[in-house]
């Protein structure tokens, strides 16, 4: 089923490419006297971005190329794709008419069905179908290669951009780690430490003749243990190593004060860095929804998509989450360090959706 769907998608892309090639030919003919005009270049760039989306390429990664020469170069390729589609449609139509005529007991083009003729048509039709489908795949691959070759930035510029991205992500992850360290220190100082001091005072008062305080001391000790466990999990979720991401997220759902539905569908275990980032995205999003959004239900989805792990957390809270906030911006930096994507959609009134795409390759 997946192969058939992919084949239909490819057929649709090549067919659409044949149509857009003709439209771009008209555009080039009309724009020929105005070549060099910035508006023409901008329009050509927009068309090139549409072509990149049709070919399932990243338009943002192909924005520094030569859009006008690219459109001129892809016109004959698009026309070639149209010819292949025409051949495929013509052959399919001929076979349908042939089978329909013979099913009605009629001759087709003067030919009656016989074993040698049927064998000849089946073998010949299979070979032609194979050639047409190979041409379809070849045209699509040629279009993608042409787009990458002519629209991608210069290798030197790409290297410089990559160095800048790595420097930015390195600074981001250092800031995120520092922010997380400060938050853990604050939790230990303002929460756990104060609770242990209160526990010590309760035990002291109980030893001085007030045994009724032992029950309260026991509750304080349990609460301190729970907070200590929470801080330890925030430093690193040790359950990830032994249990995997699905079980670790189930633990997040169990500890949440708001009902959380988790759907984790991964065919294989992702790299540890991806698992850890996915865990912290879910953990932070669930914590925010429970503390600040007033949500009554949180849904967590984790699945594979195009050699990446997609994490999506939705809640039915009040919305208004700011992507530039401390926690979410830290998550964005952590995801960016893995060359991933991070989006926050949280209109006022809700709902809030946080999406992280974590490449595995």
């Amino acid at each position: 089923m997946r192969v058939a769907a992919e084949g239909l998608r490819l057929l649709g892309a090549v067919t659409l490419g044949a149509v857009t090639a003709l439209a771009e030919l008209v555009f080039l003919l009309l724009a020929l006297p105005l070549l060099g005009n910035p508006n023409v270049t901008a329009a050509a760039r927009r068309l090139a971005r549409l072509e990149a989306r049709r070919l399932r390429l990243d338009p943002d990664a192909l924005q520094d190329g030569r859009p006008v020469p690219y459109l001129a170069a892809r016109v004959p390729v698009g026309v070639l794709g149209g010819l292949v589609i025409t051949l495929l449609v013509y052959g399919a139509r001929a076979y349908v008419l042939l089978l329909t005529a013979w099913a009605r007991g009629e001759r087709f083009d003067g030919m009656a069905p016989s074993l040698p003729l049927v064998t000849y048509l089946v073998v010949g039709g299979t070979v032609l179908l194979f050639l047409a489908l190979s041409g379809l795949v070849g045209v699509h691959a040629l279009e993608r290669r042409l787009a990458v070759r002519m629209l991608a930035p210069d290798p030197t510029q790409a290297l410089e951009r990559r160095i800048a991205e790595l420097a930015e992500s390195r600074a981001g992850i250092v800031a995120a780690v520092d922010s997380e360290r400060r938050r853990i220190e604050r939790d230990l100082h303002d929460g756990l430490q104060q609770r242990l001091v209160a526990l010590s005072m309760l035990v002291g008062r109980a030893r001085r003749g007030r045994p009724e305080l032992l029950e309260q001391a026991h509750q304080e000790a349990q609460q301190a243990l729970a907070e200590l466990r929470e801080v330890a999990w925030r430093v690193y979720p040790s359950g990830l190593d032994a249990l995997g991401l699905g079980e670790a997220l189930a633990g997040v759902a169990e500890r949440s004060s708001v009902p959380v539905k988790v759907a984790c569908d991964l065919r294989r275990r992702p790299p540890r860095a991806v698992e850890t980032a996915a865990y912290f995205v879910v953990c932070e999003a669930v914590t925010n929804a429970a503390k600040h959004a007033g949500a009554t239900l949180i849904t967590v989805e984790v699945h594979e998509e195009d050699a990446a792990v997609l994490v999506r957390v939705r809640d039915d809270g009040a919305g208004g989450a700011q992507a530039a906030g401390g926690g979410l911006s830290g998550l964005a930096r952590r995801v960016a360090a893995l060359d991933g994507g991070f989006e926050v959609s949280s209109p006022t009134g809700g709902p809030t959706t946080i999406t992280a795409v974590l490449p595995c390759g």
Side-chain angles (χ1 to χ4, degrees), residues 35-241:
L35 288 180
N37 187 305
N39 293 330
V40 172
T41 304
R45 196 177 301 281
R46 285 194 290 272
L47 290 174
R49 290 177 66 87
L50 292 176
E51 292 294 343
R53 289 195 179 92
R54 178 179 62 83
L55 298 171
R56 303 187 76 178
L57 297 172
D58 183 5
D60 295 332
L62 304 175
Q63 59 183 353
D64 294 333
R66 299 163 291 165
V68 174
Y70 164 70
L71 294 180
R74 76 158 302 272
V75 166
V77 181
V79 172
L80 177 62
L83 294 176
V84 174
I85 296 292
T86 302
L87 177 64
L88 191 62
V89 172
Y90 178 79
R93 178 178 176 276
Y95 263 81
V96 169
L97 293 176
L98 175 67
L99 294 176
T100 303
W102 283 356
R104 292 175 179 173
E106 301 172 354
R107 290 175 173 268
F108 180 79
D109 199 19
M111 297 182 295
S114 63
L115 181 59
L117 180 59
V118 170
T119 304
Y120 169 76
L121 291 176
V122 169
V123 173
T126 303
V127 172
L128 290 177
L129 178 63
F130 174 77
L131 293 176
L133 294 179
S134 298
L136 201 66
V137 174
V139 168
H140 189 259
L142 181 60
E143 283 201 275
R144 288 175 62 91
R145 176 168 295 187
L146 187 66
V148 173
R149 183 68 177 272
M150 301 192 69
L151 296 179
D154 180 82
T156 303
Q157 294 178 351
L159 185 60
E160 292 176 350
R161 176 180 298 176
R162 182 60 179 157
I163 291 173
E165 290 175 351
L166 289 175
E168 184 179 353
S169 65
R170 183 187 62 179
I173 198 65
V174 169
V177 170
D178 186 62
S179 175
E180 188 65 20
R181 180 180 62 80
R182 289 176 182 276
R183 188 165 67 165
I184 292 172
E185 289 176 349
R186 188 169 55 250
D187 289 346
L188 289 174
H189 182 270
D190 298 341
L192 190 59
Q193 181 175 322
Q194 298 300 324
R195 193 171 294 281
L196 289 176
V197 169
L199 173 62
S200 176
M201 295 176 63
L202 279 173
V203 172
R205 292 167 61 190
R207 289 182 61 188
R208 289 194 295 270
R210 298 190 60 183
E212 69 275 11
L213 295 178
L214 287 176
E215 178 63 26
Q216 186 178 350
H218 176 73
Q219 293 177 359
E220 286 288 335
Q222 294 296 318
Q223 187 64 33
L225 283 174
E227 291 187 6
L228 182 59
R229 191 178 301 115
E230 185 69 25
V231 171
W233 272 81
R234 192 175 300 163
V235 174
Y236 181 75
S238 57
L240 273 177
D241 292 335

Side-chain angles (χ1 to χ4, degrees), residues 15-16 23-24 87 138 148 155 193 216 225 244 262 273 282 286 343 356 360:
T15 304
L16 183 59
E24 287 156 6
L87 177 64
V148 173
Q193 181 175 322
Q216 186 178 350
L225 283 174
V262 179
V282 174
V286 169
E343 291 183 0
C360 295

